[in-house]
Amino acid sequence: MPSNDLRERVEPLEETLAPPAPVPVKRRASRRPGVWLLVALGLLLLLASTIVLPQLRLVGEAFTDDGGFSFANFIEFFTTPRFQEAILNSLVVAVVAGVLACAVAVPAAYVLAQFDLPGRNGFLTLATMATVSPPFLGAYAWVLLLGRGGILTTQLRAWGIELPFDTIIGPGGIVWVTVWATQALVFLLAYDAFRAIDPSLDEASSSVGAGPWRTRLRIVLPMAVPALVTGFYMSSMKIFTDFGTPLIIGGGTPMLPTAVYYEFLSEVSTNPAIASAGSLVMLGVACIALALQQWALRRRTYASVSSRRRPLQPVRGVKKGLMIAYLGVVFGLSFVPHLVVVGTSLLTWKAGILKWIPTFDNYVRLFDENLEVILMSLLLAGIACVLCVIVAVLVAYLTVRRRYTVISPALNVITMVPYIIPGTVLAIGLILAFGSGPLILTGTATILVLAYFIRRIPYVTKSIEAALTQVHPALEEAAMSVGAKPMRAFRQITVPLVRPAIVSGGTVGFLQMVTELSATVMLYSVPFITMTVVIFTNAMQPASPFGVASAMTVVLMLAVYIPLYFVRRKFASVTSV
Amino acid sequence: MKHGRKFAAVGIAAVSASLVLSGCSAIVGGQPAGGDDSAESGTVVVYAAHGPEVTDPIIAAFEKAYPDISVSLTASPGTGELISRVESEMKNPLGDVAWGGSSENYAAASEGAFAAVELENDEATVVTDPEHKWHATDALFQAIAVNTERVTDASSYPESFEDLADPKWREAGQIAFANPRSSGTSYSLLAAMVTAHDWDFLDGFLPNAKVVDGSSQMFDGVRTGEYALGFINEDLGATWVAEGAPLELIYPSDVVSNQIGVAAVIEGAKHPKAAETFVNYLMSKEAQQLMVDEVGRRSARTDVAPPAGLPAADELNLAAPDPKVFATDKDAVLARFDEKLASAK
Amino acid sequence: MERGNGVAVGVEAISKEFPGHVALKGVDLEIEARSFTTLLGPSGCGKTTLLRILAGFETATSGRVTFDGRDIARMPSWKRNIGFVFQNYALWPHMSIRDNIAYGLKLRKLGKEQIAERVAESLRMVGLDGRAEAFPGQLSGGQQQRVAIARALALRPNVLLLDEPLSNLDAKMRIGMRQELLRLQREVGITAVYVTHDQEEALEMSDQVAVMHDGRIDQVGSPQAIYETPETAFVASFIGHVTLLGGVSDGAGGFRPDLPIAGTLPAFSGALPNGRAQLVLRPEDLDLVDDVEQAHLRGTLVRSSYHGRGYRSALRLADGTMCEVDHRRPVAAGTGEEAGIRVGAAALVPESDDYYREAAPEAEAAEELVAAPAA
């Protein structure tokens, strides 16, 4: 074997071995500002200018009274009974809905992650599909079924069956709709977490004599806590900031998003100062929730680094039947709005009233209008989604792995800001920031892309973050030890390892962008018309042609589910098994 | 390395696609044919707070009457959102016409949001804006709606606001009443009832009422039987009755609340001449007749008869709340309402 | 196989502070090129932190690290040309064994054939030829660790850093792997730095052992020196079971124990402390005698057990100290009766109550926290 020295052969390394520098012993050996620090600063700049800057008006308004700095708006906000009531209702509903969504989704995720059940991939696909609810019509579908005069309520009453409630309208209805609309998010996070748990951990547990239930509660569940915390956080924050659901199904229950929304945009009387203060209060609550979530995550050390795949346990008989039935019920209820929309799209509507006359007219009317909106929606959301994933991966990495003292928490908070800003308010901020001045974006497609990017960055970041905490840092260190620079190690080791989360987070983000409504209706302009705009304009007034809106919704669902199906198929080997 | 390149390529593709899009859109959407504006041709960008049931027939007729003007329609969720959009675009207006919402909404908009223009058809309308900013396009009256499946005894139907304060409605069901904070319709109703009676009337009425968010919830709620009674815009109510909804519409004998629906030319519009043509057309006899025949809504013109089945305006005891109280000091009115609502619970 | 890749490693006054915790308190160590050095110590002693500083995963708060005399304190790990073997293997689960090994070679822009050659050679060295296409998840723990070692060696690094690489393996495999690792290290002629808490591993494999304790190196030396002439009570007590007896040393070979000792003790080897000192007694250097007159020490027999080649008995001395003794022949004394102890060899260390006690389970957890960066 040739005896030439390695260092002769491998030149790039030779030059990197620094000459014996006459460096005195430094008190603090400092590292050069790495590429990552530059990336972090760049991201901070980008996010600050697109997320924070446009919303600064909000902060200004909130702290101004009679032209000077003041807390008066906050004092008024907290002392006004209707806001007090709204805060309390929103908090209670958020926590209850979050807990119930977890309670529903976690057993389902566990069952599917642990046992060898038929149709696993089908359920996983359903879960991803269920993260998208028909925009605008979701809560409406439940009212249509279970309102006091609802189809199901009336039918059951005709059969002499009394429901335990008069109507679904009310705070309970908000919780109900939210649970079924958000459980799939929790399900996907929990499923990924359960699949990632080192099988030897529960083997170890049973080896020391713990029964299966004890193992589940004491070993498996705690390992999935990061995902659960994130899932709970996301579903409770979703309802905490959701405007449409309480409006349609709340029956006038005072809720924070509606109260703040009307202070901003009521046709009767607005008070932007109080509304801004209210938004900041929501932001504050969201920050506290975020801090709690981070605190809960930080106390967990990394999950395993095992490369063993978790085996699926065989199960048969009644147990198997019960498991499948449970999954069926959970996903069945999540798809009620979808099914109702399909049903109503095939029925005749007259002046906003449903007639039991089957028809294809709604689709005919839809196809009379231009169908470019489908492509437009997919294109805008697609671009926004790619940007969103890239930024989210970087931000998640910076917050999980490279905890720069100031920059990382700042990035973390900034990416969460859009979570609590109502889409409409966000849109107004964007119009004010980019409607004049050096960069005019109003009236362009870019402003829609920007809005989608901003609105979904929190979700995509959180889901990738959850996955990153499960990848042991040693895997990246190993790459650096064999000569990979940090960026390369990140791209070639870390990114592929969190690819399932990138794919599922990106997919869900994309689906949510395609269905985004509240910012779109404030920002869109001809010819950049999306499917949600068509749905919305056909459903905005009580006498509107809902059938056309339903038909467009069905088309929208197909337009997102078909690409979703191919994505899942392509990545099936990564996202499932 | 392969991964790396792919990663970078996707990023670059995304960014460049976004840039291309924004570049194109700046040309196509940002400044649509800026110099090409006349009263007879070009484009008019209409921001509407109406659904397609209103906009479709009238815009179709307009485009027939003015074949060289194309209408670009942008719908807003509601009047509040419509006016907010116009206000936030004030530095660089992208719309030409705002259409939909009541005269009160437009009068309360920021200074400089709407242009003061005098139009030929203004004179023919029942009411004109002394500042010439808004232009009347329709008139809306509200009726009491009774769900006949929830309230089966026709002799017990209320005939006036006063009847709605009867404690019997607390038993029989609830009266849907949209929060006047969120609904202009409800605000008019509130103004009408406290003008016809007084604030203490609410002590009897509010305990019977179920306060909901937004007019749509009030209309839908009474139609579906979610609530036994409610209020409804007469045109919608009449349409629903004609479609077989179990509703009975009653114009209160004590007072009938009403609004004037309006449109306006946006200040700084890129196509001011086409905008004026459009708004003027909305007030034309042709368009107003469509409003009556196709939408079922009362015309704002004196020379167009109300839709068939709706009572003539002079048969009704129309409310005329004091604008000094109800237009200028809405916050005080709403605060007083909140107080009454809190004590009713 | 070429020789001479190994560099000499120097550690000068290295300190490392984590928030709220000082992991290293000024450590000096010289490591000869191509030698096998073990950092030995209990959980939380700082040995893993020192190794991670050598790797460049952590930056020292102060101090210098040199490779062949060149200061590399500011050189990032990816430029150091090291091999690192992790306790949990850290194989990339999304890559085949071949790709795991080839990854670093590709980064060095080696030709395709050369890479294939090196991968094959490395796999042959660790006895895994034929498994190149497998994925990490398909291998046993021992096989995974061999791949990890192959991955590190394929690069012909200057230094091979091993962080408790055998601790996840079962006992039998662990013993086999020790010799194999040593063979590989000698064959490649690489400088190896090996972290372990297993003193048996350290003694068996090392040219040089550095015993670490509370952020410092207590003693550096050959395994024999560490074992036979411990310099501190901690080193003495960490390497095997010992009994420590207090007394006064005159610095010239004389020792006056607090407990009366009959007769003359054998001469002490190594450095002799002056002043308060402790006598280090190892069970294997003691013998149990029935005739208490011939004994250096007397004690009450507490228990005695047979373990194949002899017996191990525990006696309680007059001051209550427990003393363990290995002896070939059975003794007549029964439990609770008096027996005599003869001292065959002994060492002296300066008196300290800072000696090793069996680690409590919590200490293990603490070590993990230190090892995980910024956790």
Side-chain angles (χ1 to χ4, degrees):
Chain A
M1 209 153 283
S3 69
N4 50 346
D5 192 285
L6 171 84
R7 271 175 278 155
E8 277 170 34
R9 208 188 298 176
V10 187
E11 269 184 56
L13 283 172
E14 166 62 18
E15 64 184 30
T16 61
L17 265 175
V23 191
V25 178
K26 297 189 76 168
R27 269 210 312 180
R28 192 164 252 284
S30 65
R31 220 183 255 184
R32 289 170 308 135
V35 188
W36 273 111
L37 189 59
L38 295 177
V39 171
L41 288 170
L43 283 175
L44 198 60
L45 194 70
L46 172 76
L47 296 178
S49 59
T50 54
I51 298 178
V52 178
L53 215 58
Q55 307 306 330
L56 273 186
R57 187 188 67 130
L58 211 71
V59 182
E61 293 255 22
F63 287 102
T64 310
D65 192 50
D66 287 336
F69 177 84
S70 162
F71 287 108
N73 297 318
F74 289 91
I75 293 167
E76 193 183 335
F77 184 84
F78 281 114
T79 51
T80 307
R82 67 196 158 91
F83 290 126
Q84 291 171 339
E85 215 182 320
I87 293 172
L88 190 67
N89 287 341
S90 277
L91 287 175
V92 170
V93 165
V95 170
V96 171
V99 168
L100 290 180
C102 286
V104 166
V106 169
Y110 178 78
V111 161
L112 202 62
Q114 183 78 3
F115 297 102
D116 190 11
L117 295 174
R120 269 161 46 75
N121 261 319
F123 279 120
L124 288 172
T125 309
L126 280 182
T128 319
M129 284 168 68
T131 55
V132 196
S133 315
F136 194 73
L137 300 177
Y140 193 82
W142 281 109
V143 176
L144 202 62
L145 287 182
L146 288 174
R148 188 192 288 268
I151 298 166
L152 218 59
T153 325
T154 325
Q155 195 56 55
L156 288 175
R157 208 177 290 133
W159 290 335
I161 303 166
E162 276 302 317
L163 287 171
F165 50 85
D166 270 351
T167 173
I168 195 169
I169 286 183
I174 304 178
V175 170
W176 177 262
V177 171
T178 308
V179 166
W180 298 116
T182 61
Q183 66 87 12
L185 284 179
V186 186
F187 175 93
L188 287 175
L189 285 166
Y191 178 84
D192 284 344
F194 285 135
R195 290 301 300 158
I197 294 172
D198 189 333
S200 53
L201 287 174
D202 28 345
E203 287 159 13
S205 170
S206 51
S207 74
V208 298
W213 277 104
R214 201 181 165 80
T215 302
R216 270 165 216 157
L217 288 176
R218 304 295 295 275
I219 307 294
V220 177
L221 199 59
M223 292 300 291
V225 158
L228 294 190
V229 169
T230 308
F232 168 80
Y233 169 77
M234 303 207 65
S235 55
S236 57
M237 276 297 113
K238 181 161 176 168
I239 188 56
F240 189 73
T241 59
D242 185 9
F243 162 74
T245 305
L247 177 70
I248 292 169
I249 210 169
T253 310
M255 297 282 284
L256 210 42
T258 36
V260 168
Y261 185 86
Y262 284 127
E263 287 306 308
F264 269 120
L265 291 160
S266 163
E267 59 192 40
V268 178
S269 167
T270 59
N271 187 340
I274 294 290
S276 304
S279 294
L280 289 188
V281 170
M282 286 169 72
L283 182 61
V285 172
C287 284
I288 292 169
L290 176 68
L292 287 175
Q293 185 237 8
Q294 302 272 305
W295 172 78
L297 287 188
R298 194 154 303 195
R299 290 172 53 215
R300 314 278 150 189
T301 41
Y302 303 99
S304 53
V305 48
S306 159
S307 33
R308 261 177 76 194
R309 280 221 173 115
R310 208 175 162 76
L312 290 164
Q313 288 176 15
V315 61
R316 57 186 83 252
V318 181
K319 254 174 124 181
K320 184 174 181 176
L322 283 175
M323 285 175 186
I324 293 172
Y326 179 69
L327 287 167
V329 167
V330 167
F331 287 107
L333 285 169
S334 290
F335 279 101
V336 164
H338 307 64
L339 296 175
V340 170
V341 167
V342 172
T344 54
S345 75
L346 294 168
L347 292 169
T348 306
W349 291 77
K350 284 244 173 101
I353 299 178
L354 180 64
K355 308 279 182 184
W356 291 93
I357 307 165
T359 181
F360 284 111
D361 274 3
N362 298 317
Y363 289 94
V364 173
R365 277 184 68 177
L366 189 69
F367 285 94
D368 281 348
E369 316 208 355
N370 56 44
L371 283 175
E372 289 154 33
V373 292
I374 298 173
L375 278 180
M376 182 59 73
S377 290
L378 296 180
L379 183 66
L380 294 177
I383 294 167
C385 180
V386 171
L387 291 175
C388 202
V389 163
I390 293 172
V391 172
V393 169
L394 296 174
V395 169
Y397 183 80
L398 284 166
T399 47
V400 173
R401 279 296 151 73
R402 309 210 162 226
R403 298 195 177 128
Y404 296 113
T405 36
V406 180
I407 303 172
S408 296
L411 281 173
N412 205 344
V413 170
I414 291 175
T415 47
M416 288 318 288
V417 166
Y419 219 94
I420 43 75
I421 298 184
T424 321
V425 175
L426 185 117
I428 291 174
L430 287 178
I431 296 174
L432 291 175
F434 300 111
S436 59
L439 185 61
I440 294 184
L441 297 178
T442 46
T444 69
T446 311
I447 202 160
L448 287 173
V449 170
L450 189 60
Y452 295 164
F453 165 79
I454 293 173
R455 289 216 76 192
R456 291 307 159 212
I457 191 83
Y459 172 76
V460 182
T461 309
K462 282 290 135 195
S463 48
I464 294 172
E465 224 176 83
L468 259 184
T469 54
Q470 304 253 343
V471 175
H472 201 286
L475 293 172
E476 208 169 291
E477 287 171 354
M480 287 195 242
S481 77
V482 301
K485 289 182 183 173
M487 249 326 156
R488 181 185 290 275
F490 168 72
R491 283 198 326 255
Q492 297 183 339
I493 305 297
T494 309
V495 169
L497 285 173
V498 295
R499 199 169 63 171
I502 292 177
V503 170
S504 64
T507 313
V508 173
F510 173 78
L511 302 187
Q512 291 177 340
M513 287 174 189
V514 175
T515 54
E516 207 285 340
L517 176 67
S518 53
T520 309
V521 292
M522 293 300 285
L523 294 171
Y524 89 94
S525 48
V526 184
F528 308 110
I529 299 174
T530 66
M531 289 186 273
T532 48
V533 169
V534 174
I535 292 168
F536 169 74
T537 49
N538 286 293
M540 60 189 278
Q541 301 293 338
S544 294
F546 279 101
V548 179
S550 298
M552 186 80 243
T553 307
V554 172
V555 172
L556 167 62
M557 292 286 142
L558 289 177
V560 297
Y561 286 155
I562 290 168
L564 174 71
Y565 171 77
F566 286 107
V567 167
R568 283 205 65 83
R569 242 174 59 144
K570 181 154 166 42
F571 290 95
S573 56
V574 186
T575 45
S576 51
V577 183
Chain B
M1 233 159 279
K2 210 175 77 202
H3 283 293
R5 235 177 262 140
K6 218 189 282 170
F7 193 86
V10 169
I12 291 163
V15 171
S16 51
S18 170
L19 288 177
V20 167
L21 252 183
S22 66
C24 293
S25 58
I27 299 158
V28 182
Q31 314 287 329
D36 180 25
D37 174 46
S38 84
E40 298 290 331
S41 66
T43 308
V44 58
V45 180
V46 176
Y47 287 180
H50 288 298
E53 68 279 7
V54 176
T55 54
D56 282 358
I58 294 178
I59 288 176
F62 173 81
E63 287 183 328
K64 212 176 235 175
Y66 296 89
D68 293 332
I69 301 182
S70 71
V71 178
S72 156
L73 179 71
T74 299
S76 267
T79 316
E81 290 85 349
L82 170 64
I83 290 177
S84 286
R85 182 163 183 170
V86 172
E87 287 174 342
S88 57
E89 289 178 354
M90 268 164 62
K91 282 187 181 162
N92 176 27
L94 299 172
D96 299 318
V97 170
W99 178 23
S102 71
S103 55
E104 289 94 348
N105 303 146
Y106 282 58
S110 298
E111 194 59 41
F114 299 117
V117 285
E118 288 187 55
L119 300 173
E120 195 189 323
N121 284 331
D122 280 345
E123 283 172 23
T125 58
V126 286
V127 55
T128 48
D129 179 8
E131 295 182 47
H132 305 290
K133 288 186 174 170
W134 52 258
H135 310 271
T137 58
D138 54 86
L140 268 180
F141 297 178
Q142 283 86 39
I144 295 171
V146 180
N147 185 299
T148 54
E149 284 173 358
R150 292 287 307 272
V151 186
T152 44
D153 177 11
S155 66
S156 71
Y157 291 169
E159 289 174 358
S160 61
F161 280 106
E162 196 162 6
D163 290 348
L164 294 177
D166 190 323
K168 74 176 177 187
W169 298 119
R170 234 171 291 186
E171 300 286 321
Q174 293 159 316
I175 307 169
F177 184 60
N179 195 319
R181 279 192 178 276
S182 57
S183 155
T185 311
S186 248
Y187 188 83
S188 286
L189 287 162
L190 175 68
M193 57 179 95
V194 297
T195 304
H197 301 280
D198 54 19
W199 279 95
D200 291 340
F201 169 77
L202 295 182
D203 296 336
F205 168 70
L206 284 178
N208 304 344
K210 171 73 185 162
V211 176
V212 299
D213 282 322
S215 334
S216 300
Q217 319 308 319
M218 171 165 75
F219 305 155
D220 275 334
V222 66
R223 174 176 64 78
T224 59
E226 189 70 39
Y227 312 106
L229 292 86
F231 303 95
I232 198 162
N233 285 333
E234 55 171 2
D235 59 328
L236 178 65
T239 312
W240 278 351
V241 170
E243 288 299 334
L247 289 177
E248 176 81 21
L249 301 194
I250 299 157
Y251 291 88
S253 59
D254 35 9
V255 67
V256 174
S257 69
N258 56 90
Q259 299 104 43
I260 297 295
V262 300
V265 175
I266 293 168
E267 178 76 63
K270 302 277 190 299
H271 315 98
K273 293 199 181 103
E276 284 176 26
T277 306
F278 184 80
V279 175
N280 197 47
Y281 177 79
L282 291 179
M283 294 186 292
S284 69
K285 193 155 183 186
E286 185 190 16
Q288 291 290 297
Q289 198 62 52
L290 283 173
M291 188 66 94
V292 169
D293 298 341
E294 297 285 323
V295 185
R297 190 172 292 185
R298 269 174 217 271
S299 161
R301 279 176 79 102
T302 47
D303 56 357
V304 177
L310 295 191
D314 50 18
E315 289 170 23
L316 301 172
N317 188 7
L318 290 182
D322 183 359
K324 278 192 198 116
V325 177
F326 293 100
T328 43
D329 208 0
K330 287 182 176 172
D331 287 337
V333 171
L334 290 172
R336 203 148 172 203
F337 173 80
D338 281 345
E339 269 170 42
K340 288 289 183 189
L341 183 60
S343 65
K345 277 183 183 167
Chain C
M1 175 69 54
E2 62 270 43
R3 294 183 170 273
N5 285 349
V7 295
V9 177
V11 171
E12 295 169 31
I14 287 285
S15 291
K16 177 66 183 176
E17 287 172 28
F18 291 108
H21 166 75
V22 181
L24 294 172
K25 302 168 179 168
V27 171
D28 293 285
L29 182 63
E30 276 179 33
I31 296 170
E32 261 181 56
R34 293 174 289 283
S35 72
F36 194 111
T37 296
T38 299
L39 305 177
L40 173 68
S43 296
C45 71
K47 58 189 189 297
T48 296
T49 306
L50 180 56
L51 192 76
R52 291 174 58 83
I53 288 173
L54 292 182
F57 298 153
E58 305 281 352
T59 311
T61 311
S62 63
R64 265 161 61 99
V65 177
T66 60
F67 282 4
D68 272 351
R70 298 169 180 184
D71 186 359
I72 56 153
R74 295 174 60 190
M75 183 187 288
S77 60
W78 59 92
K79 293 182 180 173
R80 289 189 182 188
N81 197 24
I82 51 161
F84 200 102
V85 179
F86 293 82
Q87 180 173 5
N88 54 28
Y89 325 139
L91 296 182
W92 303 305
H94 59 303
M95 295 184 189
S96 68
I97 301 308
R98 175 191 307 286
D99 290 341
N100 260 279
I101 296 173
Y103 184 78
L105 299 170
K106 285 179 190 160
L107 291 178
R108 282 163 174 72
K109 305 210 161 50
L110 264 58
K112 251 189 184 156
E113 280 172 25
Q114 212 171 0
I115 290 177
E117 202 176 286
R118 287 265 197 109
V119 170
E121 178 190 307
S122 310
L123 281 176
R124 204 161 45 240
M125 273 188 341
V126 296
L128 279 175
D129 15 2
R131 300 307 306 269
E133 304 312 324
F135 277 79
Q138 297 167 309
L139 302 185
S140 71
Q143 288 173 322
Q144 289 191 44
Q145 193 57 292
R146 283 163 199 259
V147 174
I149 292 165
R151 179 174 70 182
L153 289 180
L155 299 170
R156 318 235 163 116
N158 294 333
V159 187
L160 180 64
L161 305 170
L162 305 106
D163 185 10
E164 310 216 22
L166 307 184
S167 63
N168 280 1
L169 304 180
D170 63 55
K172 211 169 177 185
M173 194 181 284
R174 205 179 308 167
I175 290 167
M177 280 293 279
R178 284 179 199 164
Q179 284 312 313
E180 200 167 327
L181 248 180
L182 212 53
R183 173 182 64 78
L184 287 170
Q185 185 258 340
R186 300 282 184 237
E187 204 174 300
V188 182
I190 195 177
T191 311
V193 183
Y194 186 96
V195 158
T196 184
H197 63 264
D198 183 335
Q199 40 111 356
E200 220 179 282
E201 245 169 57
L203 296 181
E204 182 178 332
M205 298 169 75
S206 316
D207 299 319
Q208 173 177 260
V209 178
V211 183
M212 292 189 67
H213 165 224
D214 191 23
R216 294 193 177 83
I217 292 181
D218 263 28
Q219 186 175 353
V220 183
S222 67
Q224 289 89 337
I226 295 287
Y227 184 84
E228 284 166 14
T229 55
E231 287 168 11
T232 68
F234 180 83
V235 172
S237 56
F238 191 71
I239 314 288
H241 291 275
V242 292
T243 304
L244 297 172
L245 294 178
V248 179
S249 161
D250 60 9
F255 178 70
R256 186 157 50 76
D258 300 343
L259 267 178
I261 289 182
T264 322
L265 290 170
F268 304 115
S269 53
L272 296 171
N274 201 345
R276 287 294 299 173
Q278 276 164 316
L279 185 65
V280 179
L281 300 175
R282 294 188 185 281
E284 55 270 35
D285 295 333
L286 305 179
D287 199 7
L288 211 58
V289 288
D290 285 325
D291 181 3
V292 294
E293 298 304 320
Q294 288 181 14
H296 292 109
L297 285 159
R298 296 176 189 191
T300 315
L301 189 65
V302 177
R303 60 168 187 273
S304 184
S305 57
Y306 180 67
H307 58 87
R309 292 192 15 232
Y311 299 83
R312 174 162 289 189
S313 300
L315 291 91
R316 183 176 287 110
L317 304 185
D319 64 350
T321 309
M322 292 296 290
C323 179
E324 293 200 327
V325 180
D326 288 350
H327 48 105
R328 294 291 295 273
R329 284 158 296 145
V331 282
T335 308
E337 294 175 357
E338 198 175 51
I341 300 169
R342 272 199 69 83
V343 178
L348 273 183
V349 295
E351 186 174 66
S352 161
D353 60 359
D354 187 9
Y355 55 87
Y356 182 70
R357 301 157 179 91
E358 290 296 319
E362 290 90 333
E364 295 283 339
E367 165 84 355
E368 297 213 334
L369 278 179
V370 174

